[in-house]
Amino acid sequence: MFEAADKEYRPAFHFSPAKNWMNDPNGLIWHKGEYHLFFQYNPFGREWGHMSWGHAVSKDLLNWEELEVAIPEGKDGAIFSGSAVSLNDEIVAIYTRDKDQIQDQCIATSSDSGRTFKKYIDNPVLDLRMEHFRDPKVFRYNDKWIMVVVKSREFVVCIYESEDLKSWTLLSEFGKVGATGGQWECPDLFPLEINGEQVRVLIVSLSPGGIKNNSGTQYFIGNFDGRTFTPKYSTDEPRWLDYGSDNYAGVTFNNEPNNRRILIGWMNSWQQKEHAETSWTGAMTIPRELGLVDVNGEIELTQTPVCEATYTVEIPAAASGEIGLNGFVRLGYDAQKKIIFVNDFEAPYDAGNRAFKLLVVVDRTSVELFTEDGTRCITIAVFPPIGSSRELIPFHTF
């Protein structure tokens, strides 16, 4: 039924499930020699529903082996987004359970490298009896476990601590700043260094309320003292992780063996949801290594694609120009507007009077554009007509 579309649209080097619906990445962790990508998954169909944790593993973040469902939906409820940590050679998943209009936080353990999980008998471990309280990201800080989790409709990130992953104490809350359209989801809080200084980056996804009111992700640069996140700069206006429509719910890997901070997002949007009629629905973004750079006296987040299949576009000094993909995608730089763009999605970028490079990752159903310094990124999913050429039309000025 889907043979022609599957052959045309299956991503070559972005993860997509063999069949059925996929959305948010979950439980990103390196454990015993493998990168583990768990993800929101419907085992029974191509539309959202019956949320469970799918599972794939990789040695290099690009070639993935999909495994059996790791944590299935059960009588106790659907399995929503969350994270994973390593403890005593086991993987512990910390996830949101959704049942009867209540969302609470639960844990499950795996002693076989994530292939199967056993749910904790005394779940939930954190329950506020709320309808929209979800997406725990847990990490180690000194001798305690820290959880960031959102009250989605209140635009609040809650910070908890625990000694055993079972009993949690509220430390502080941060919120109702930056972009507050739609609802907040999928927080992450992690350290990065710049010029010998360690800062903390807090990312929060929201839907809608992003670029062009699509799903999107904002970030805050600040400090974390073990209890409270304090931003370094004004939070009146959002700082966007991505200026496209299709990079949502991204989170980073725990335990990355090379001390890199690697992020993967869901390459779709709840508002767009344009997907060809294929046997699967959904793909992940290219993994991106995150970093920091000083721009005009303020620290900004950077992204570099973890991928060798990158096309480089040379932009001459003070020039405007674009490349194209057979008419269905155009991307480039506008020196007058001081923007980079992919179709009608734009990101502010002032190159001044200098030549620079754009990095482009093109797969069968996606385009990801990065500035050379990593400060701007635009991600879009595209489904050109079957049989269309994927060849790049060379750069030309305008």
Side-chain angles (χ1 to χ4, degrees):
M1 179 180 179
F2 301 112
E3 183 176 353
D6 281 6
K7 183 178 180 180
E8 183 84 8
Y9 296 125
R10 172 69 70 180
F13 50 88
H14 290 73
F15 176 76
S16 59
K19 62 180 181 179
N20 299 333
W21 171 276
M22 176 187 74
N23 56 288
D24 304 2
N26 297 154
L28 303 187
I29 189 169
W30 187 87
H31 179 82
K32 292 188 175 181
E34 295 177 313
Y35 290 97
H36 293 262
L37 167 63
F38 300 96
F39 50 89
Q40 290 287 278
Y41 185 63
N42 180 359
F44 306 111
R46 297 169 48 249
E47 303 294 332
W48 185 93
H50 300 288
M51 284 294 96
S52 305
W53 272 26
H55 187 200
V57 294
S58 174
K59 298 290 187 182
D60 61 4
L61 294 168
L62 292 174
N63 297 286
W64 294 94
E65 176 190 0
E66 187 175 0
L67 304 175
E68 296 296 319
V69 172
I71 311 179
E73 175 192 44
K75 292 182 179 179
D76 57 337
I79 312 299
F80 278 18
S81 291
S83 54
V85 299
S86 291
L87 179 64
N88 299 327
D89 288 330
E90 295 185 322
I91 295 178
V92 181
I94 307 95
Y95 61 91
T96 297
R97 179 179 64 180
D98 182 88
K99 185 179 182 182
D100 299 331
Q101 296 185 310
I102 294 294
Q103 294 180 346
D104 52 34
Q105 317 315 316
C106 298
I107 62 175
T109 58
S110 172
S111 58
D112 58 1
S113 293
R115 272 61 177 178
T116 59
F117 281 85
K118 182 179 180 180
K119 296 175 183 177
Y120 178 48
I121 193 171
D122 289 326
N123 278 333
V125 296
L126 179 57
D127 183 7
L128 302 185
R129 307 303 297 169
M130 289 184 67
E131 184 177 359
H132 298 284
F133 177 56
R134 58 181 176 270
D135 308 339
K137 176 62 185 284
V138 174
F139 58 92
R140 196 73 173 167
Y141 183 87
N142 293 335
D143 59 347
K144 299 287 180 68
W145 296 106
I146 298 294
M147 175 196 294
V148 287
V149 59
V150 289
K151 296 177 180 177
S152 297
R153 296 291 175 88
E154 298 178 18
F155 313 109
V156 167
V157 175
C158 304
I159 302 177
Y160 287 84
E161 74 170 6
S162 174
E163 294 184 355
D164 59 5
L165 297 172
K166 299 173 183 177
S167 299
W168 293 91
T169 301
L170 179 65
L171 299 176
S172 63
E173 294 185 344
F174 172 82
K176 205 131 192 195
V177 295
T180 55
Q183 53 190 333
W184 281 15
E185 297 187 307
C186 304
D188 197 353
L189 179 63
F190 51 86
L192 285 173
E193 288 192 2
I194 179 171
N195 300 327
E197 175 191 7
Q198 184 183 91
V199 300
R200 290 274 168 166
V201 180
L202 173 64
I203 61 175
V204 181
S205 293
L206 70 156
S207 179
I211 301 294
K212 296 184 181 294
N213 210 35
N214 289 295
S215 303
T217 303
Q218 62 183 327
Y219 71 90
F220 305 90
I221 302 292
N223 296 304
F224 179 65
D225 62 4
R227 297 186 61 88
T228 303
F229 174 79
T230 305
K232 292 175 68 71
Y233 310 117
S234 171
T235 56
D236 292 341
E237 297 296 329
R239 294 168 177 242
W240 296 113
L241 180 79
D242 196 300
Y243 285 80
S245 58
D246 297 295
N247 181 3
Y248 188 62
V251 286
T252 65
F253 280 88
N254 281 337
N255 295 3
E256 208 286 328
N258 301 306
N259 294 318
R260 298 178 300 172
R261 183 58 57 172
I262 306 293
L263 177 139
I264 293 179
W266 175 46
M267 199 155 54
N268 209 330
S269 166
W270 289 113
Q271 287 66 48
Q272 300 274 18
K273 290 194 291 188
E274 296 177 358
H275 201 284
E277 291 289 317
T278 54
S279 59
W280 79 95
T281 305
M284 294 299 176
T285 67
I286 206 69
R288 297 110 183 272
E289 181 174 358
L290 305 183
L292 300 173
V293 67
D294 187 298
V295 178
N296 299 323
E298 291 195 0
I299 297 170
E300 293 190 9
L301 190 65
T302 65
Q303 301 176 71
T304 303
V306 181
C307 176
E308 294 180 356
T310 302
Y311 180 79
T312 301
V313 182
E314 302 277 353
I315 307 294
S320 297
E322 66 180 48
I323 65 172
L325 279 79
N326 200 36
F328 57 85
V329 172
R330 50 182 292 272
L331 59 89
Y333 176 67
D334 189 317
Q336 290 186 327
K337 293 183 177 179
K338 295 181 173 56
I339 59 166
I340 62 168
F341 61 87
V342 179
N343 290 349
D344 61 343
F345 288 91
E346 302 174 347
Y349 189 73
D350 186 358
N353 190 26
R354 63 178 176 84
F356 69 103
K357 297 177 182 178
L358 294 174
L359 307 180
V360 189
V361 179
V362 179
D363 207 342
R364 291 172 182 153
T365 57
S366 62
V367 176
E368 294 159 284
L369 175 65
F370 300 83
T371 54
E372 185 181 16
D373 62 8
T375 59
R376 297 292 185 267
C377 174
I378 302 175
T379 301
I380 66 168
V382 291
F383 295 90
I386 288 179
S388 298
S389 170
R390 300 303 201 275
E391 291 185 5
L392 293 173
I393 299 173
F395 178 81
H396 65 277
T397 58
F398 59 80

